[in-house]
Amino acid sequence: MALAQRIGRSRHRLILLVLTAISLLTLDLNGFGPLGTAQGFVRDVLHPVTEVAGVAASPFSNAWNGVFNYADLERENQELDARVKKLEADEIRNQADRQALERLLLASELPYVENLETKVATVVRGAVGNFDSDVITIDLGHRDGLESGMAVVTGAGLVGRVDRVDATTATVQLISDSSLIIGVRLVATDEVGLGHADDDAFLIDQGLDWPEDGDVSKLPPVGTGVVTSSFSRYPAGIPVGWVTSAATDDGGLSLEVRVELANSVDDLGFVSVILSSGVDQVPLADTVVPNTIVPPGIDPDDIFTDGTSTESGDGG
Amino acid sequence: MIPLKLATVGIVAVVIQLTLFVEVRVAGVAPELLAMLGVLLAFYAGVERGPILAFGAGLLWDIYLPTPLGVAAITFAIVAFSVASLEEGLFHDSRSQLAVIVGLGSVASVVGYALIGEVVGQRGLIDLEMLRVAAIVGVINGALTPLLAPVVRWALVEGRQ
């Protein structure tokens, strides 16, 4: 009897806890400022502790990885070796491609990424849980001028976007996260579309049309560079990858372009944050976004609202 | 004193999770220390205090997770309530039983977290990979129970015991 009474009372408490959690969820989902500030404060307070603990734990982590991940390291080493050889063989062709790309960017009056202010960040840690493998934490925060939405790159190209910003750290949503939608442009054909990660590749599945006359020679050639578009929320011209295939899966109505990512985000040590958000480069909605440029299937209102990018969704 | 000890245990668990278990993983899966803490708190603190303490542990973990604040908290509280209710009505304390309870509770926490996360709009949480992660977390957490259980018992006892 006493047990039943205790469980009964506890049930009421559990209901209160659930209601509290739902309230917190609602506030957090609606971007309630003080809640985010409080969370950031806790993370900032604990950051020095985690840094020290991380150094203390690193010998054990290294030993663990040395013992249990030796086969992975060996395989990774072989892959890197093969990749270096391939890169050496492709260097001459890459130089020519790079010059062509630079000329094209210049002709399009798009800014070079190199001309934008960047800050180098160290990757503090990778995924902390079991369901956030596409998130890393870097050692820069809003004290360093970071803001949510800024592009994160390496020398090879786009890595992701700054997500949650604290005082001294920030989390980065990696390009490998399928929920991160990125506005891209095919360098060869100048078409723009929206893409996202799809398994190990990147898939552009919105905004591109299959050639009306079915002429496959008009498809983007394999190897075409893919960069961020000026209509994305990131600075234009950041390399994303190379086209590996182009196909249609709806009888020729739309085009799906599969892209090999320029960056491997598996083992990042350092990244650069571009201290400029793409939306700053986008002219006001009433002066641009001509219908001829907006890809079919994309509502301009989804991209711009009063001259700024919408915050809904996960990118663009 | 007990709240201070509980807070210390919670923070230490988070710090270990954020440092050691970012690198040390089994088949790519990290132990879920905070879920384990929630289950143990429910087991030792009982059905009245257990869910509240587990809620606190979940809230602390939520601060670092990409899901909205409250997803882990609500999951851990519900799992803790279930564990505490079952423990009071059915089980008797023994080490092996405790490890099994922690393992099953951790599996429930991982699955519940994924389900509630999907409900609030996080994509890609529910798939076969989630079941694999839950199973491995259950095994690891069960195996780690003898290490964390004495710490939780210590935190819940008044004075220097």
Side-chain angles (χ1 to χ4, degrees):
Chain A
M1 188 64 180
L3 174 63
Q5 281 179 342
R6 270 215 314 277
I7 291 179
R9 277 201 305 272
S10 301
R11 200 168 289 145
H12 293 135
R13 287 183 188 171
L14 181 65
I15 291 169
L16 281 176
L17 289 176
V18 170
L19 290 175
T20 305
I22 290 172
S23 304
L24 290 171
L25 276 168
T26 308
L27 289 172
D28 202 22
L29 285 169
N30 284 294
F32 182 61
L35 201 58
T37 307
Q39 292 180 73
F41 176 76
V42 175
R43 285 190 293 266
D44 288 334
V45 167
L46 285 181
H47 178 59
V49 182
T50 56
E51 271 199 326
V52 173
V55 172
S58 60
F60 186 77
S61 306
N62 293 339
W64 177 276
N65 285 326
V67 173
F68 292 102
N69 296 332
Y70 180 76
D72 290 342
L73 289 173
E74 198 170 34
R75 194 181 62 243
E76 192 177 334
N77 198 21
Q78 287 171 348
E79 285 173 1
L80 286 172
D81 192 37
R83 196 168 174 187
V84 165
K85 287 173 182 165
K86 183 177 181 297
L87 287 172
E88 285 172 352
D90 289 348
E91 190 170 347
I92 296 173
R93 186 167 60 86
N94 285 345
Q95 281 178 352
D97 288 347
R98 199 180 306 123
Q99 285 169 356
L101 175 63
E102 284 173 359
R103 281 199 300 274
L104 187 59
L105 291 174
L106 188 64
S108 308
E109 294 182 350
L110 295 176
Y112 286 106
V113 172
E114 288 81 1
N115 293 337
L116 299 171
E117 189 184 355
T118 61
K119 278 208 167 181
V120 177
T122 304
V123 176
V124 176
R125 58 175 167 267
V128 294
N130 286 307
F131 293 103
D132 56 350
S133 57
D134 302 310
V135 176
I136 57 171
T137 303
I138 58 175
D139 66 345
L140 297 180
H142 60 68
R143 285 182 189 168
D144 306 288
L146 262 65
E147 290 174 18
S148 180
M150 286 177 168
V152 181
V153 299
T154 67
L158 188 67
V159 166
R161 68 185 284 267
V162 175
D163 187 14
R164 193 171 61 196
V165 184
D166 296 330
T168 56
T169 60
T171 57
V172 175
Q173 186 183 12
L174 296 174
I175 195 172
S176 54
D177 186 343
S178 61
S179 65
L180 180 61
I181 311 295
I182 299 168
V184 294
R185 184 172 64 85
L186 304 179
V187 174
T189 60
D190 216 21
E191 290 178 284
V192 294
L194 295 175
H196 58 87
D198 183 54
D199 293 329
D200 291 334
F202 185 85
L203 186 67
I204 308 170
D205 56 0
Q206 291 180 56
L208 301 180
D209 285 334
W210 186 261
E212 282 183 12
D213 54 4
D215 183 2
V216 293
S217 67
K218 294 178 182 172
L219 292 175
V222 171
T224 295
V226 177
V227 298
T228 52
S229 120
S230 58
F231 299 107
S232 76
R233 59 167 54 184
Y234 312 106
I238 303 173
V240 173
W242 303 271
V243 171
T244 55
S245 68
T248 179
D249 69 346
D250 55 8
L253 292 177
S254 65
L255 178 62
E256 285 190 354
V257 173
R258 196 162 279 275
V259 176
E260 181 185 345
L261 288 172
N263 255 314
S264 168
V265 295
D266 290 339
D267 193 20
L268 293 167
F270 299 92
V271 293
S272 294
V273 181
I274 298 177
L275 301 179
S276 164
S277 54
V279 291
D280 292 338
Q281 301 177 24
V282 177
L284 294 174
D286 55 354
T287 57
V288 281
V289 201
N291 292 333
T292 52
I293 292 180
V294 176
I298 299 176
D299 184 353
D301 291 336
D302 290 342
I303 306 174
F304 303 103
T305 303
D306 297 326
T308 60
S309 76
T310 57
E311 289 299 322
S312 61
D314 297 297
Chain B
M1 192 65 180
I2 289 179
L4 187 64
K5 289 201 281 188
L6 285 171
T8 305
V9 170
I11 289 170
V12 169
V14 166
V15 170
I16 292 174
Q17 187 81 53
L18 291 174
T19 53
L20 191 63
F21 292 141
V22 168
E23 293 288 333
V24 176
R25 290 170 176 243
V26 177
V29 177
E32 291 278 356
L33 271 192
L34 276 299
M36 187 176 166
L37 183 62
V39 176
L40 285 170
L41 286 169
F43 189 86
Y44 287 121
V47 75
E48 292 195 39
R49 283 193 302 160
I52 298 170
L53 297 174
F55 182 87
L59 213 52
L60 192 58
W61 191 214
D62 268 326
I63 289 173
Y64 284 94
L65 292 173
T67 43
L69 188 72
V71 174
I74 195 172
T75 308
F76 291 3
I78 292 171
V79 170
F81 178 79
S82 308
V83 167
S85 304
L86 286 173
E87 191 275 333
E88 293 215 4
L90 296 174
F91 294 105
H92 301 285
D93 187 14
S94 83
R95 285 185 182 179
S96 55
Q97 279 181 343
L98 180 58
V100 171
I101 291 168
V102 168
L104 293 177
S106 301
V107 170
S109 297
V110 172
V111 173
Y113 172 81
L115 288 173
I116 296 174
E118 284 274 346
V119 168
V120 298
Q122 300 291 308
R123 281 185 283 173
L125 295 181
I126 298 178
D127 52 16
L128 285 177
E129 173 67 9
M130 181 267 287
L131 295 177
R132 187 185 77 89
V133 168
I136 295 175
V137 166
V139 172
I140 305 174
N141 280 10
L144 289 176
T145 301
L147 295 178
L148 190 57
V151 179
V152 174
R153 271 204 308 269
W154 163 80
L156 287 168
V157 175
E158 192 69 65
R160 287 184 165 198
Q161 291 196 31

